[in-house]
Amino acid sequence: MNRIKINSPEGDSLIILGGTVDDIRTLLPQKGLFIITDRNVQKFHGKKFPPGEVIAIEAGENSKTLRVVEEICGQMIRAGADRSAFVLGFGGGVVCDIAGMVASVYMRGVRHAFVSTTLLSQVDASIGGKTGVNLGEYKNTIGTFRQPEFVLCDHAMLTTLPETEMRSGMGELFKHAIIRDRNLFFDISASAGQIMEGDMAVAASLILRAARIKAGVVRRDPLEKGQRRILNFGHTFGHVIETHYGIPHGLAVARGMTVAAELSAWKGEMAHTELILMQGALEDAGLLTAHQLPAEVVRMISRDKKSESGSVNFVLLRSVGRAVIRRISISELEQFVSYYNEKESQSQ
Ligand code: NAD
C-alpha cells in the first residue's frame, strides 16, 4: 500500500493506493455517513460499502447536472443529514465530481472522501479537489475546489471495469506521462497490453507514478492559477469531441491530445517526430478513435473556462514529457482548425 499526501492551504488530502475498504474504516465516522455512488458500481461493489445511507444515481456523464446535485441534497436532508454529515463518493470520475460538489455546497460544506473505482478516477479525477457538473453542452462549467480528506484506490476493483472504460483511463494515464515524464510514457507504451489484459500489478505501479505527478502539480498550484493548467493537456479539444460524439472522457482526451500535439508542431513548439512518436503510442494502445473536429469547435472553445478576452490558454508540448502553457488567439485557432481539417480530409 502506498500513500501520497497533498497539503494545501485549502485542505489536506491523503491518497491511499493499493488498499481495500477495510483500510479506511477508521477514517470514517460512526454515524452520518452518506455514500454517493452509481447503479453499476452499486451492482458490482455494493457489498463492500461501509454502513451508511446509500444514494445511487444513474451511471454516466448525463448525471453530471445541477438537477442531480439538487436531488441528492434533497435525499440527504430528508434522511436527516446535518452539518456533521460525511459524504463518501464511491465510484468513477462522474461520481467523484458530483459527490465532491454535493459535499462542497450541502449546508455550505460537509466532510467528504472518495473510494475511486475506475482507472481514470484513480489516476486523475479523484485526486486534486476539482468538483463539477456540466451546463448543457459546456463541460464542468459549474464547480468548486474542495479537497477530499482521503481517496482510496483499490486496484482490484478495476477488474470489473468494461474494456472501453479501461481504455478511457489509459488516456489520462498517458496524459500525465506526456506532460511531465518521458520515461513513464515509454513504460506505459510498453505495458499497455498487459494492463488491458488485467495485470493489476503492472497497472498499480504505473498508477502510482501517474498519481504522484498529479499530486505534485496540485500541491504547488491547488486552485489552478498557473502550472496546474498543464493537467488540461488535450482537454480543450477533448471536451468538444466528448460532448459532440458522446464518447468516454479518456478517449476524447486521447484524440484531443493528438490535436494539441499537431497544434504544437504547427506553432513550431515541437518537432514533428515527437508528434509521430506520441500518436503511434496512442494508436498502438487502441486509444485513437476516428472522430473529426466538429464544426462548432472554435465557438465552443471560445466559451470554455480556459478562454479569456479573445484568446485561450492552451497546453502545448515542447516534446513528449514536457508541456508548456501558451496563449493562442481565437483567430489563430481558426487558422489552425482549417489547416487541421484540410489535412485530415486529405488523409482519408
Ligand atoms: P464514470 O464515472 O462514468 O465511469 C465509467 C463507467 O464505469 C460508468 O458506467 C460506471 O458506472 C462504471 N464503473 C465505475 N467503476 C466501475 C467498476 N469498478 N466496475 C465496473 N463498472 C464501473 O467515468 P470515469 O471515466 O471514471 O470519469 C469520467 C469523468 O471524470 C468525466 O466526467 C470527467 O469530466 C471527470 N474528470 C474529472 C476530473 C477532476 O479533476 N475532477 C479529472 C478527470 C476527469
Side-chain angles (χ1 to χ4, degrees), residues 205-229:
S205 78
L206 298 173
I207 292 169
L208 175 63
R209 287 165 68 188
R212 280 192 177 132
I213 293 175
K214 172 136 192 195
V217 173
V218 170
R219 213 178 277 130
R220 282 188 289 277
D221 180 17
L223 298 180
E224 199 173 303
K225 303 265 188 228
Q227 267 306 302
R228 182 170 177 171
R229 291 176 179 152

PDB file of all heavy atoms in Angstrom, residues 205-229:
ATOM      1  N   SER A 205       1.747  -0.108 -10.439  1.00  0.00           N
ATOM      2  CA  SER A 205       2.991   0.673 -10.379  1.00  0.00           C
ATOM      3  C   SER A 205       2.903   1.904 -11.292  1.00  0.00           C
ATOM      4  O   SER A 205       3.436   2.964 -10.962  1.00  0.00           O
ATOM      5  CB  SER A 205       4.204  -0.203 -10.713  1.00  0.00           C
ATOM      6  OG  SER A 205       4.287  -0.381 -12.104  1.00  0.00           O
ATOM      7  N   LEU A 206       2.194   1.778 -12.411  1.00  0.00           N
ATOM      8  CA  LEU A 206       2.060   2.940 -13.311  1.00  0.00           C
ATOM      9  C   LEU A 206       1.068   3.957 -12.749  1.00  0.00           C
ATOM     10  O   LEU A 206       1.264   5.172 -12.869  1.00  0.00           O
ATOM     11  CB  LEU A 206       1.639   2.475 -14.712  1.00  0.00           C
ATOM     12  CG  LEU A 206       2.661   1.545 -15.398  1.00  0.00           C
ATOM     13  CD1 LEU A 206       2.090   0.988 -16.693  1.00  0.00           C
ATOM     14  CD2 LEU A 206       3.971   2.260 -15.681  1.00  0.00           C
ATOM     15  N   ILE A 207      -0.009   3.461 -12.119  1.00  0.00           N
ATOM     16  CA  ILE A 207      -0.995   4.368 -11.490  1.00  0.00           C
ATOM     17  C   ILE A 207      -0.292   5.199 -10.409  1.00  0.00           C
ATOM     18  O   ILE A 207      -0.480   6.409 -10.308  1.00  0.00           O
ATOM     19  CB  ILE A 207      -2.178   3.570 -10.870  1.00  0.00           C
ATOM     20  CG1 ILE A 207      -3.022   2.922 -11.964  1.00  0.00           C
ATOM     21  CG2 ILE A 207      -3.043   4.471  -9.982  1.00  0.00           C
ATOM     22  CD1 ILE A 207      -4.056   1.909 -11.460  1.00  0.00           C
ATOM     23  N   LEU A 208       0.559   4.539  -9.619  1.00  0.00           N
ATOM     24  CA  LEU A 208       1.278   5.239  -8.552  1.00  0.00           C
ATOM     25  C   LEU A 208       2.138   6.364  -9.128  1.00  0.00           C
ATOM     26  O   LEU A 208       2.122   7.498  -8.624  1.00  0.00           O
ATOM     27  CB  LEU A 208       2.154   4.240  -7.780  1.00  0.00           C
ATOM     28  CG  LEU A 208       3.070   4.826  -6.702  1.00  0.00           C
ATOM     29  CD1 LEU A 208       2.258   5.495  -5.598  1.00  0.00           C
ATOM     30  CD2 LEU A 208       3.970   3.733  -6.099  1.00  0.00           C
ATOM     31  N   ARG A 209       2.861   6.069 -10.201  1.00  0.00           N
ATOM     32  CA  ARG A 209       3.743   7.098 -10.791  1.00  0.00           C
ATOM     33  C   ARG A 209       2.911   8.261 -11.353  1.00  0.00           C
ATOM     34  O   ARG A 209       3.268   9.434 -11.197  1.00  0.00           O
ATOM     35  CB  ARG A 209       4.629   6.470 -11.866  1.00  0.00           C
ATOM     36  CG  ARG A 209       5.723   5.593 -11.250  1.00  0.00           C
ATOM     37  CD  ARG A 209       6.387   4.689 -12.266  1.00  0.00           C
ATOM     38  NE  ARG A 209       7.179   5.395 -13.260  1.00  0.00           N
ATOM     39  CZ  ARG A 209       7.708   4.786 -14.331  1.00  0.00           C
ATOM     40  NH1 ARG A 209       7.523   3.492 -14.543  1.00  0.00           N
ATOM     41  NH2 ARG A 209       8.430   5.485 -15.185  1.00  0.00           N
ATOM     42  N   ALA A 210       1.789   7.936 -11.999  1.00  0.00           N
ATOM     43  CA  ALA A 210       0.934   8.998 -12.562  1.00  0.00           C
ATOM     44  C   ALA A 210       0.291   9.818 -11.439  1.00  0.00           C
ATOM     45  O   ALA A 210       0.222  11.057 -11.509  1.00  0.00           O
ATOM     46  CB  ALA A 210      -0.137   8.383 -13.454  1.00  0.00           C
ATOM     47  N   ALA A 211      -0.167   9.129 -10.390  1.00  0.00           N
ATOM     48  CA  ALA A 211      -0.820   9.832  -9.271  1.00  0.00           C
ATOM     49  C   ALA A 211       0.177  10.775  -8.600  1.00  0.00           C
ATOM     50  O   ALA A 211      -0.182  11.869  -8.160  1.00  0.00           O
ATOM     51  CB  ALA A 211      -1.378   8.827  -8.270  1.00  0.00           C
ATOM     52  N   ARG A 212       1.444  10.349  -8.516  1.00  0.00           N
ATOM     53  CA  ARG A 212       2.472  11.230  -7.911  1.00  0.00           C
ATOM     54  C   ARG A 212       2.647  12.497  -8.743  1.00  0.00           C
ATOM     55  O   ARG A 212       2.836  13.581  -8.201  1.00  0.00           O
ATOM     56  CB  ARG A 212       3.810  10.485  -7.829  1.00  0.00           C
ATOM     57  CG  ARG A 212       3.857   9.558  -6.642  1.00  0.00           C
ATOM     58  CD  ARG A 212       5.278   9.059  -6.402  1.00  0.00           C
ATOM     59  NE  ARG A 212       5.323   8.227  -5.220  1.00  0.00           N
ATOM     60  CZ  ARG A 212       5.900   7.031  -5.145  1.00  0.00           C
ATOM     61  NH1 ARG A 212       6.503   6.516  -6.212  1.00  0.00           N
ATOM     62  NH2 ARG A 212       5.893   6.355  -4.032  1.00  0.00           N
ATOM     63  N   ILE A 213       2.588  12.339 -10.076  1.00  0.00           N
ATOM     64  CA  ILE A 213       2.714  13.526 -10.940  1.00  0.00           C
ATOM     65  C   ILE A 213       1.556  14.477 -10.663  1.00  0.00           C
ATOM     66  O   ILE A 213       1.731  15.666 -10.418  1.00  0.00           O
ATOM     67  CB  ILE A 213       2.748  13.125 -12.433  1.00  0.00           C
ATOM     68  CG1 ILE A 213       4.034  12.359 -12.743  1.00  0.00           C
ATOM     69  CG2 ILE A 213       2.607  14.366 -13.336  1.00  0.00           C
ATOM     70  CD1 ILE A 213       4.118  11.803 -14.154  1.00  0.00           C
ATOM     71  N   LYS A 214       0.332  13.919 -10.674  1.00  0.00           N
ATOM     72  CA  LYS A 214      -0.829  14.795 -10.468  1.00  0.00           C
ATOM     73  C   LYS A 214      -0.758  15.463  -9.092  1.00  0.00           C
ATOM     74  O   LYS A 214      -0.950  16.676  -8.972  1.00  0.00           O
ATOM     75  CB  LYS A 214      -2.138  14.010 -10.618  1.00  0.00           C
ATOM     76  CG  LYS A 214      -3.343  14.875 -10.203  1.00  0.00           C
ATOM     77  CD  LYS A 214      -4.520  14.826 -11.080  1.00  0.00           C
ATOM     78  CE  LYS A 214      -5.510  15.933 -10.721  1.00  0.00           C
ATOM     79  NZ  LYS A 214      -6.826  15.751 -11.286  1.00  0.00           N
ATOM     80  N   ALA A 215      -0.456  14.675  -8.059  1.00  0.00           N
ATOM     81  CA  ALA A 215      -0.411  15.242  -6.705  1.00  0.00           C
ATOM     82  C   ALA A 215       0.652  16.342  -6.610  1.00  0.00           C
ATOM     83  O   ALA A 215       0.429  17.372  -5.979  1.00  0.00           O
ATOM     84  CB  ALA A 215      -0.133  14.132  -5.686  1.00  0.00           C
ATOM     85  N   GLY A 216       1.783  16.128  -7.262  1.00  0.00           N
ATOM     86  CA  GLY A 216       2.867  17.118  -7.228  1.00  0.00           C
ATOM     87  C   GLY A 216       2.433  18.438  -7.851  1.00  0.00           C
ATOM     88  O   GLY A 216       2.702  19.515  -7.310  1.00  0.00           O
ATOM     89  N   VAL A 217       1.726  18.356  -8.968  1.00  0.00           N
ATOM     90  CA  VAL A 217       1.256  19.570  -9.646  1.00  0.00           C
ATOM     91  C   VAL A 217       0.211  20.276  -8.773  1.00  0.00           C
ATOM     92  O   VAL A 217       0.259  21.495  -8.574  1.00  0.00           O
ATOM     93  CB  VAL A 217       0.670  19.223 -11.047  1.00  0.00           C
ATOM     94  CG1 VAL A 217       0.032  20.445 -11.681  1.00  0.00           C
ATOM     95  CG2 VAL A 217       1.746  18.647 -11.963  1.00  0.00           C
ATOM     96  N   VAL A 218      -0.725  19.502  -8.224  1.00  0.00           N
ATOM     97  CA  VAL A 218      -1.809  20.085  -7.412  1.00  0.00           C
ATOM     98  C   VAL A 218      -1.251  20.751  -6.147  1.00  0.00           C
ATOM     99  O   VAL A 218      -1.680  21.838  -5.762  1.00  0.00           O
ATOM    100  CB  VAL A 218      -2.843  18.987  -7.034  1.00  0.00           C
ATOM    101  CG1 VAL A 218      -3.834  19.498  -5.993  1.00  0.00           C
ATOM    102  CG2 VAL A 218      -3.573  18.493  -8.270  1.00  0.00           C
ATOM    103  N   ARG A 219      -0.275  20.080  -5.527  1.00  0.00           N
ATOM    104  CA  ARG A 219       0.335  20.620  -4.301  1.00  0.00           C
ATOM    105  C   ARG A 219       0.889  22.033  -4.546  1.00  0.00           C
ATOM    106  O   ARG A 219       0.749  22.916  -3.721  1.00  0.00           O
ATOM    107  CB  ARG A 219       1.478  19.684  -3.902  1.00  0.00           C
ATOM    108  CG  ARG A 219       1.715  19.564  -2.427  1.00  0.00           C
ATOM    109  CD  ARG A 219       2.846  18.565  -2.173  1.00  0.00           C
ATOM    110  NE  ARG A 219       2.410  17.178  -2.173  1.00  0.00           N
ATOM    111  CZ  ARG A 219       2.985  16.196  -2.873  1.00  0.00           C
ATOM    112  NH1 ARG A 219       4.009  16.438  -3.662  1.00  0.00           N
ATOM    113  NH2 ARG A 219       2.531  14.964  -2.796  1.00  0.00           N
ATOM    114  N   ARG A 220       1.503  22.212  -5.711  1.00  0.00           N
ATOM    115  CA  ARG A 220       2.127  23.520  -5.993  1.00  0.00           C
ATOM    116  C   ARG A 220       1.121  24.575  -6.439  1.00  0.00           C
ATOM    117  O   ARG A 220       1.384  25.768  -6.339  1.00  0.00           O
ATOM    118  CB  ARG A 220       3.227  23.348  -7.053  1.00  0.00           C
ATOM    119  CG  ARG A 220       4.518  22.756  -6.466  1.00  0.00           C
ATOM    120  CD  ARG A 220       5.644  22.768  -7.478  1.00  0.00           C
ATOM    121  NE  ARG A 220       5.437  21.800  -8.533  1.00  0.00           N
ATOM    122  CZ  ARG A 220       5.741  20.515  -8.455  1.00  0.00           C
ATOM    123  NH1 ARG A 220       6.277  20.034  -7.353  1.00  0.00           N
ATOM    124  NH2 ARG A 220       5.507  19.686  -9.447  1.00  0.00           N
ATOM    125  N   ASP A 221      -0.024  24.137  -6.962  1.00  0.00           N
ATOM    126  CA  ASP A 221      -0.998  25.103  -7.510  1.00  0.00           C
ATOM    127  C   ASP A 221      -2.417  24.560  -7.324  1.00  0.00           C
ATOM    128  O   ASP A 221      -3.102  24.229  -8.283  1.00  0.00           O
ATOM    129  CB  ASP A 221      -0.690  25.305  -9.009  1.00  0.00           C
ATOM    130  CG  ASP A 221      -1.651  26.297  -9.669  1.00  0.00           C
ATOM    131  OD1 ASP A 221      -2.336  27.067  -8.952  1.00  0.00           O
ATOM    132  OD2 ASP A 221      -1.721  26.299 -10.916  1.00  0.00           O
ATOM    133  N   PRO A 222      -2.875  24.474  -6.042  1.00  0.00           N
ATOM    134  CA  PRO A 222      -4.150  23.795  -5.786  1.00  0.00           C
ATOM    135  C   PRO A 222      -5.356  24.427  -6.472  1.00  0.00           C
ATOM    136  O   PRO A 222      -6.313  23.727  -6.783  1.00  0.00           O
ATOM    137  CB  PRO A 222      -4.289  23.835  -4.257  1.00  0.00           C
ATOM    138  CG  PRO A 222      -3.265  24.788  -3.762  1.00  0.00           C
ATOM    139  CD  PRO A 222      -2.201  24.913  -4.803  1.00  0.00           C
ATOM    140  N   LEU A 223      -5.325  25.744  -6.702  1.00  0.00           N
ATOM    141  CA  LEU A 223      -6.508  26.413  -7.261  1.00  0.00           C
ATOM    142  C   LEU A 223      -6.391  26.703  -8.757  1.00  0.00           C
ATOM    143  O   LEU A 223      -7.152  27.490  -9.315  1.00  0.00           O
ATOM    144  CB  LEU A 223      -6.793  27.715  -6.498  1.00  0.00           C
ATOM    145  CG  LEU A 223      -7.118  27.543  -5.011  1.00  0.00           C
ATOM    146  CD1 LEU A 223      -7.387  28.889  -4.359  1.00  0.00           C
ATOM    147  CD2 LEU A 223      -8.311  26.611  -4.807  1.00  0.00           C
ATOM    148  N   GLU A 224      -5.417  26.069  -9.412  1.00  0.00           N
ATOM    149  CA  GLU A 224      -5.231  26.218 -10.865  1.00  0.00           C
ATOM    150  C   GLU A 224      -5.087  27.675 -11.305  1.00  0.00           C
ATOM    151  O   GLU A 224      -5.765  28.140 -12.217  1.00  0.00           O
ATOM    152  CB  GLU A 224      -6.380  25.530 -11.630  1.00  0.00           C
ATOM    153  CG  GLU A 224      -6.004  25.254 -13.082  1.00  0.00           C
ATOM    154  CD  GLU A 224      -7.037  24.418 -13.823  1.00  0.00           C
ATOM    155  OE1 GLU A 224      -7.346  23.315 -13.366  1.00  0.00           O
ATOM    156  OE2 GLU A 224      -7.519  24.898 -14.855  1.00  0.00           O
ATOM    157  N   LYS A 225      -4.172  28.368 -10.641  1.00  0.00           N
ATOM    158  CA  LYS A 225      -3.895  29.758 -11.049  1.00  0.00           C
ATOM    159  C   LYS A 225      -2.815  29.784 -12.133  1.00  0.00           C
ATOM    160  O   LYS A 225      -2.644  30.776 -12.820  1.00  0.00           O
ATOM    161  CB  LYS A 225      -3.388  30.579  -9.852  1.00  0.00           C
ATOM    162  CG  LYS A 225      -4.333  30.604  -8.682  1.00  0.00           C
ATOM    163  CD  LYS A 225      -5.205  31.834  -8.740  1.00  0.00           C
ATOM    164  CE  LYS A 225      -6.018  31.968  -7.479  1.00  0.00           C
ATOM    165  NZ  LYS A 225      -7.416  32.224  -7.757  1.00  0.00           N
ATOM    166  N   GLY A 226      -2.031  28.730 -12.237  1.00  0.00           N
ATOM    167  CA  GLY A 226      -0.914  28.744 -13.197  1.00  0.00           C
ATOM    168  C   GLY A 226      -0.581  27.352 -13.697  1.00  0.00           C
ATOM    169  O   GLY A 226      -1.289  26.792 -14.533  1.00  0.00           O
ATOM    170  N   GLN A 227       0.489  26.759 -13.102  1.00  0.00           N
ATOM    171  CA  GLN A 227       1.027  25.498 -13.627  1.00  0.00           C
ATOM    172  C   GLN A 227       0.035  24.330 -13.660  1.00  0.00           C
ATOM    173  O   GLN A 227       0.133  23.440 -14.494  1.00  0.00           O
ATOM    174  CB  GLN A 227       2.262  25.076 -12.807  1.00  0.00           C
ATOM    175  CG  GLN A 227       3.578  25.571 -13.403  1.00  0.00           C
ATOM    176  CD  GLN A 227       3.771  25.174 -14.860  1.00  0.00           C
ATOM    177  OE1 GLN A 227       3.753  23.998 -15.208  1.00  0.00           O
ATOM    178  NE2 GLN A 227       3.934  26.162 -15.744  1.00  0.00           N
ATOM    179  N   ARG A 228      -0.957  24.336 -12.757  1.00  0.00           N
ATOM    180  CA  ARG A 228      -1.899  23.212 -12.752  1.00  0.00           C
ATOM    181  C   ARG A 228      -2.610  23.073 -14.093  1.00  0.00           C
ATOM    182  O   ARG A 228      -3.123  22.005 -14.425  1.00  0.00           O
ATOM    183  CB  ARG A 228      -2.909  23.368 -11.594  1.00  0.00           C
ATOM    184  CG  ARG A 228      -3.880  22.197 -11.515  1.00  0.00           C
ATOM    185  CD  ARG A 228      -4.728  22.170 -10.272  1.00  0.00           C
ATOM    186  NE  ARG A 228      -5.664  21.051 -10.337  1.00  0.00           N
ATOM    187  CZ  ARG A 228      -6.426  20.643  -9.345  1.00  0.00           C
ATOM    188  NH1 ARG A 228      -6.366  21.239  -8.186  1.00  0.00           N
ATOM    189  NH2 ARG A 228      -7.249  19.625  -9.502  1.00  0.00           N
ATOM    190  N   ARG A 229      -2.618  24.188 -14.851  1.00  0.00           N
ATOM    191  CA  ARG A 229      -3.288  24.142 -16.154  1.00  0.00           C
ATOM    192  C   ARG A 229      -2.697  23.067 -17.060  1.00  0.00           C
ATOM    193  O   ARG A 229      -3.360  22.623 -17.985  1.00  0.00           O
ATOM    194  CB  ARG A 229      -3.177  25.495 -16.845  1.00  0.00           C
ATOM    195  CG  ARG A 229      -4.000  26.551 -16.158  1.00  0.00           C
ATOM    196  CD  ARG A 229      -3.788  27.894 -16.809  1.00  0.00           C
ATOM    197  NE  ARG A 229      -4.593  28.903 -16.151  1.00  0.00           N
ATOM    198  CZ  ARG A 229      -4.287  30.185 -16.082  1.00  0.00           C
ATOM    199  NH1 ARG A 229      -3.192  30.631 -16.644  1.00  0.00           N
ATOM    200  NH2 ARG A 229      -5.082  31.032 -15.460  1.00  0.00           N
TER     201      ARG A 229
END
